[in-house]
Amino acid sequence: MSLPELPAIDLTEIVASLQDGILLITLRNSRKTNSFTEKMSHDLIRVFQWGDADDRVRVILLTADPKERAFCAGADMEEVIKGSVLLGRKEDSEDEHRDPGGQVALSIYNNRKVTIVAVNGHAWGSGFTSLQLPFDFRFIWAGAEITLPFLRLGILPESTSTYLLSRLVGQSRATSILLSNAKMRPDSPNLSSLYQDILPNKEDVLPAALSFAKTIAATSAPVSITYTKGLLHHPGMTIEENHLLDSRAIKRRGASKDGEEGLKAFMQRRSPNFPDTVSGETSWYPWWKSRDVNQPKTKL
């Protein structure tokens, strides 16, 4: 079954375009400083799923209009107060509720393509948790203010951030970031290792991220990216298990058309043209069993 084209996807709080293998997504809820809403969560999930499935997409890049004060101002508090799904509707049971920020984070973290975020404004709450932590690469404006207001509001950090942040910066730094209620800058000792690059001007962030994305799109084998992300996110329980996974992945990639093309391109000193597609890689990947969190009956 053919995929719908981007214009056929009904997006209202983001805009998206595809060019040269790069799916560029821009937050556009400017009336509320790009606040994170239930509709924005649906839009983001749909477009990341689309990018995952379409073989033309090599890299997915998220950003916001640099003219806006905030990259994302966190959850839409008016929506929260009215009883939106962001904190769980009253009719939801504890087992049935699914955090929308977490659903967005899963669609990004589990994406088979390279994901990059260009944070060109202040990032509060969800603008840090769901819209930064699950990405493969993060570029940010040096002047961005990062604020996590969760504990002051009597709630808690969402979007699987307790899991992701401790994996990214270590348990001690994650604890300091999530429990201190501090306002931080990207060059904070606890935060700086998160970022691929910290740019001095807001206007520099997207061009830097885009240049990086173009290099990856032009030079990296998509299926090899998929395997590498899978090994990073779903390693074996021991080094021996990892060795078995590595060995099988290396054998499969080495015997692939991509592997043949990569070696030829290297010997001929030319750019590779990798023929294998992510959608065609189904015989072994994924090698792990995923839990269907969208099913209401799925419980801990």
Side-chain angles (χ1 to χ4, degrees), residues 55-70:
D55 285 321
R56 293 173 298 175
V57 177
R58 299 294 184 92
V59 179
I60 305 176
L61 172 56
L62 175 71
T63 192
D65 186 342
K67 297 184 182 66
E68 293 294 332
R69 179 168 175 248

Side-chain angles (χ1 to χ4, degrees), residues 95-99 102-103 106 110 290-300:
D95 288 326
E96 291 173 341
H97 175 63
R98 297 292 182 267
D99 165 33
Q103 295 280 294
L106 286 170
N110 291 330
S290 297
R291 301 186 73 176
D292 185 359
V293 296
N294 292 316
Q295 289 294 328
K297 294 182 179 180
T298 303
K299 301 179 182 179
L300 292 175

